[in-house]
Amino acid sequence: MGAHPYYYFVEHQPDIEAALQDLRQREFEAGRYNPALPFPDFPIRPDSPAPGAMHESIYQAIEDAAEDGTRSILDIESVSDWPDYGVASPLQKRNLERYFGTTRPAREMISRKLDFLESIERGHCVCITVL
C-alpha cells in the first residue's frame, strides 16, 4: 500500500465484492479520503473524523487525488483472486501462516501485527477473513 498503509474491519459478508463496495461507499460518504481528509487515522472508529464527501462521486475524488491517491479504500476498485494494482485479493494461506501462525487469525491478532502491511506493494490490497 505504499507510504500510507490503511486497513479496515467490516462485518462479514459472504460476497467480498459487495463488502468492498459497501465500505468504499461508506468511507466516501464520510469524507475519509484524500483530499477531503488528507491523512485519515487508522483504524477507523465510530468517533473518527467524518467531514462528509467533498466530491460528487468516488471517481471524482480519485481523479482529484491524482498520483497521491485517496490514501483510503476508495483506491481499491474490485476484488480478484490474484494480487494486482487497485484490487483486493485474499492474503494467501502460506502468508497468513507466516505472519500470524494460523490461517484463521483473530481481529486482535491482526491489529497487533500490522507490520505485514510493509510487504504489500503500493496500490495493492489484501483481504483476510477474520474470526
Side-chain angles (χ1 to χ4, degrees), residues 1-7 38-39 42 68 71-72 122:
M1 286 189 227
H4 305 285
Y6 48 86
Y7 62 100
F39 292 95
F42 294 92
D68 287 339
R71 300 181 188 125
S72 76
R122 180 182 168 95

Side-chain angles (χ1 to χ4, degrees), residues 30-116:
R32 288 188 287 255
Y33 61 87
N34 178 52
L37 188 62
F39 292 95
D41 289 325
F42 294 92
I44 299 298
R45 295 184 169 90
D47 63 343
S48 291
M54 296 185 178
H55 296 82
E56 300 246 344
S57 68
I58 292 174
Y59 176 78
Q60 286 179 344
I62 292 169
E63 287 291 307
D64 197 23
E67 64 276 351
D68 287 339
T70 67
R71 300 181 188 125
S72 76
I73 199 66
L74 273 59
D75 293 325
I76 307 304
E77 296 180 12
S78 63
V79 175
S80 171
D81 289 335
W82 304 107
D84 201 355
Y85 190 85
V87 301
S89 62
L91 190 60
Q92 296 178 348
K93 287 184 179 183
R94 73 171 187 265
N95 288 331
L96 287 167
E97 190 72 47
R98 185 171 111 208
Y99 298 133
F100 307 109
T102 179
T103 58
R104 300 280 300 188
R107 178 179 178 155
E108 297 75 28
M109 186 181 294
I110 294 169
S111 294
R112 287 192 314 263
K113 297 185 175 188
L114 292 173
D115 54 331
F116 81 94

Side-chain angles (χ1 to χ4, degrees), residues 8 15 24 50 63 71 77 87 118 122 126-127:
Y8 301 85
D15 183 341
R24 290 178 83 223
E63 287 291 307
R71 300 181 188 125
E77 296 180 12
V87 301
E118 295 172 13
R122 180 182 168 95
V126 296
C127 51

